[in-house]
């Protein structure tokens, strides 16, 4: 009986030492680490980025509809509360995004041939988020990184990007 218990214990310990291969979670978005090249307002700030097959104006209209009751709303800059904490969300313009190295072509490099045949062009949305203290809410050091990324992913998912 003791031998059987020892064998079972040995097997459990042995199996628990074998690393489980983790499969990377592939999301439809990517958080790009900020660079020193960013403009004065978002230097070194991390950026939430995702791909769309519509013009950015369509995304702006979606934001206008979704946040129409938000005081002081602008599709490029608005404040939302996530879990009772105010965050400033800024959707970067083309000129501002050009100040970042564009890693998104590598991240989302494969285009859907059917969408391209229909004349739909790949574009990217870049979003920076600051917490109530003006700190980068997408920073790896930020307490809010996970909840903010989840909130932005919800915006992305509800927007019909194709």
């Amino acid at each position: 009986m003791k031998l059987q218990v020892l064998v079972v214990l040995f097997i459990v310990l042995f199996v628990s030492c074998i690393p489980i291969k983790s499969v990377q979670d592939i999301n439809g978005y990517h958080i790009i680490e900020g660079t020193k090249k960013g403009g004065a307002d978002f230097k070194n700030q991390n950026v939430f980025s995702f791909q769309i097959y519509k013009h950015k104006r369509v995304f702006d209209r979606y934001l206008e509809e979704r946040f129409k009751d938000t005081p002081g709303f602008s599709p490029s800059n608005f404040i939302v509360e996530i879990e009772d904490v105010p965050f400033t969300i800024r959707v970067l313009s083309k000129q501002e995004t050009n100040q970042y190295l564009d890693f998104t072509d590598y991240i989302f490099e494969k285009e859907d041939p059917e969408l391209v045949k229909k004349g739909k062009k790949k574009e990217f949305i870049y979003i920076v988020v600051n917490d109530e203290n003006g700190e980068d809410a997408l920073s790896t050091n930020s307490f809010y990184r996970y909840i903010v990324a989840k909130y932005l992913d919800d915006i992305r998912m509800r927007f019909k990007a194709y």
Side-chain angles (χ1 to χ4, degrees), residues 4-127:
Q4 291 173 337
V5 171
L6 286 173
V7 170
V8 170
L9 185 59
F10 175 75
I11 292 172
V12 169
L13 287 173
F14 180 74
V15 170
S16 66
C17 293
I18 298 172
I20 298 172
K21 183 178 179 183
S22 64
V23 178
Q24 186 177 9
D25 181 26
I26 300 174
N27 295 308
Y29 69 88
H30 192 70
I31 297 176
I32 302 170
E33 189 175 328
T35 67
K36 293 178 182 176
K37 291 175 66 175
D41 294 340
F42 52 93
K43 188 180 235 179
N44 294 325
Q45 199 160 359
N46 289 352
V47 178
F48 182 94
S49 178
F50 61 96
Q51 173 183 328
I52 63 174
Y53 279 94
K54 294 181 180 180
H55 196 277
K56 184 182 175 302
R57 284 183 299 230
V58 178
F59 183 70
D60 290 347
R61 284 193 295 264
Y62 162 74
L63 291 176
E64 287 171 356
E65 181 60 30
R66 179 166 175 169
F67 297 102
K68 64 184 170 193
D69 296 330
T70 302
F73 173 81
S74 159
S76 61
N77 194 356
F78 54 99
I79 297 173
V80 297
E81 282 197 8
I82 307 170
E83 296 188 14
D84 297 324
V85 177
F87 292 93
T88 302
I89 295 178
R90 183 167 175 194
V91 181
L92 301 180
S93 69
K94 273 278 201 228
Q95 295 79 18
E96 292 169 324
T97 59
N98 289 338
Q99 294 177 10
Y100 275 87
L101 290 176
D102 192 359
F103 295 112
T104 50
D105 282 331
Y106 299 107
I107 298 163
F108 303 106
E109 65 185 13
K110 295 185 179 177
E111 296 202 36
D112 185 330
E114 290 302 312
L115 293 172
V116 173
K117 272 197 265 184
K118 293 178 184 175
K120 298 193 178 205
K121 184 180 175 230
K122 173 174 64 171
E123 289 197 32
F124 295 94
I125 302 296
Y126 293 88
I127 301 173

Side-chain angles (χ1 to χ4, degrees), residues 127-142:
I127 301 173
V128 294
V129 182
N130 292 334
D131 65 17
E132 60 191 340
N133 299 318
E135 300 293 323
D136 179 4
L138 293 170
S139 166
T140 54
N141 300 330
S142 175

